[in-house]
Amino acid sequence: MSSYEGLLAAVVAKQGGRPSTDPATGEIVGHAPEHTPEDLDRAVRSARAAQPGWAALGHRERARLLEAAADAVDASAEALAELITLEQGKPLSGPGSRFEAGAVSGWLRATAAIPLGTEPIEASGATIDYQPVGLVGAIGPWNWPAMIATWQFAPALRMGNAVVMKPSEHTPLSVLAVAELVNRVLPEGVFTVLSGGRELGAALTGNPAFGKLMFTGSTRTGKAIVAASAGHLPRLTLELGGNDPGIVLPDVDPEAIAEDLFWGAFLNTGQTCACLKRLYVHEDVYEAVVGALANVADKASMGPGIEEHNTLGPLTTREQFRIVDRLVEQAKASGARVVTGAEPDRDAPGNFYPATLIADIDPEQPLVLEEQFGPALPIVRYTDLDEAIGMANALDTGLGASVWSADPGRAREIATRIQAGTVWVNQHGTVDPMIPFGGVKGSGYGLEFGVEGLKAVAVPRVING
């Protein structure tokens, strides 16, 4: 028996259910339970009953239980990684499914360790502390299903809330598996995962029992959640779509930055909200940067993630394959230069789209202006830095961005002019459980991670006098 099979057996529907398929082969991995709004109502009642006792445990005991939950995840880490690979597609190795399974336990431990107590308000006798919201509802994405689920439920639980979560209908088994593992140590009712489609998601966001909603996904769906929840005014954290720009200055060593540039764009086959999705390169180093990137791309091995030697896997859904294919074909038709890739086998099984670099592209092409969320990077030539910054800021997205330079001080100065929640210097897309993360403009609002992330899933209380 493969290591994942026992874990899978614990979470699949006992009969019927929604099929979850392997994006590398199209074969069914398992059937997820098809939960209903009635199941949601039962989960809410259970959460309401469990939450006061969970809150009463206090920070120290809740942190201890989150540590124990991390131990449970670590004990089944390989099984969880294999299941993520089979359902989502990312490779086991490198920054893939083993990394994601490790991030689940890592984020649980980091969240448990963050100190947060009563804080004095400077120059006054007042203090501020943070109380549980009560019930937190969360909806997760399909690109990093287990890791991002943990970003949502771990801080919410740490702050004394009960959590009801709906994963993406494309990757429910991975999140159900995380719940199976952590619920081996958590009290009954404080964390529930329900799998289902849009009807279930709409029921969750419209349910007035939730004092806080968390969502990671598209800007369009985020706007729908704002509208659906407006009647009962829950607090919201929305981490929405990004079209992250990178600006390369003329002083760089192209060979030195190529590896980090490539993985900043192609991590998880480009299916990451904070991936580098459009690259602006100064004309003095343009051809050298393009060539260095092509050398890295040509060495990357794409194939089924379950095969250890592969570093790039398939796109998770056929719909995403079609989006990337459409945008690249439009760029080719416009006269843009294909450096590498752009020739998928559309009839082959699996959603494999080759790592693609598109140079000499008009900055008004859809591949630049729309979030491709896949392995196709447009590389735009610029001559004037102010123009490059203007292009970087022109879109209604602002999740991440990056500046690449041999002079980090100069890069930081430029970073202050870019409209994004995070601007990285000589790196892109790296996250840390202690460093706050969130977007601006159409990329959403609210912060996750660190002390600010804990405060975001709590209610501030000021005592004055």
Side-chain angles (χ1 to χ4, degrees), residues 77-90:
E78 185 66 13
L80 178 60
E82 288 185 18
L83 182 54
I84 292 168
T85 288
L86 290 173
E87 184 178 47
Q88 192 275 335
K90 62 172 60 74

Side-chain angles (χ1 to χ4, degrees), residues 285-312:
V285 290
Y286 186 85
E287 292 299 341
V289 168
V290 169
L293 276 170
N295 288 338
V296 178
D298 289 342
K299 295 173 185 175
S301 175
M302 176 174 281
I306 208 71
E307 298 174 5
E308 293 278 357
H309 66 281
N310 289 321
T311 55
L312 294 172

Side-chain angles (χ1 to χ4, degrees), residues 331-420:
K332 289 164 62 178
S334 76
R337 169 165 54 110
V338 175
V339 179
T340 189
E343 294 295 338
D345 184 347
R346 298 175 182 86
D347 299 321
N351 303 324
F352 291 101
Y353 197 96
T356 297
L357 300 172
I358 302 292
D360 299 328
I361 185 170
D362 186 321
E364 296 301 313
Q365 269 293 301
L367 181 59
V368 180
L369 301 181
E370 299 179 22
E371 184 184 20
Q372 69 278 49
F373 214 68
L377 180 65
I379 309 171
V380 177
R381 188 190 306 261
Y382 78 88
T383 56
D384 180 81
L385 179 59
D386 289 338
E387 179 187 19
I389 294 171
M391 289 187 290
N393 290 337
L395 305 184
D396 187 33
T397 53
L399 189 57
S402 56
V403 181
W404 302 75
S405 172
D407 182 347
R410 172 65 172 147
R412 290 182 68 88
E413 291 176 6
I414 295 167
T416 65
R417 299 172 60 190
I418 297 177
Q419 299 164 5

Side-chain angles (χ1 to χ4, degrees), residues 188-345:
E188 185 176 355
V190 300
F191 178 44
T192 303
V193 172
L194 301 176
S195 58
R198 293 182 179 180
E199 181 187 14
L200 182 63
L204 189 153
T205 57
N207 192 312
F210 295 106
K212 171 81 182 189
L213 294 175
M214 307 180 77
F215 172 72
T216 298
S218 71
T219 300
R220 180 182 63 183
T221 303
K223 290 179 179 179
I225 289 172
V226 173
S229 64
H232 58 281
L233 294 177
R235 288 164 167 79
L236 297 174
T237 294
L238 303 174
E239 197 263 88
L240 308 180
N243 192 348
D244 287 15
I247 298 176
V248 178
L249 302 189
D251 62 355
V252 300
D253 177 346
E255 296 293 337
I257 66 171
E259 190 87 20
D260 288 337
L261 271 177
F262 179 84
W263 287 112
F266 290 88
L267 175 70
N268 194 24
T269 317
Q271 299 170 113
T272 299
C273 294
C275 262
L276 175 59
K277 298 190 174 77
R278 47 193 173 112
L279 185 62
Y280 301 95
V281 181
H282 192 275
E283 63 176 357
D284 288 356
V285 290
Y286 186 85
E287 292 299 341
V289 168
V290 169
L293 276 170
N295 288 338
V296 178
D298 289 342
K299 295 173 185 175
S301 175
M302 176 174 281
I306 208 71
E307 298 174 5
E308 293 278 357
H309 66 281
N310 289 321
T311 55
L312 294 172
L315 291 161
T316 302
T317 72
R318 197 64 182 177
E319 178 185 6
Q320 202 57 43
F321 177 98
R322 294 188 187 101
I323 290 171
V324 175
D325 196 21
R326 169 179 60 83
L327 292 171
V328 171
E329 289 302 306
Q330 287 176 325
K332 289 164 62 178
S334 76
R337 169 165 54 110
V338 175
V339 179
T340 189
E343 294 295 338
D345 184 347

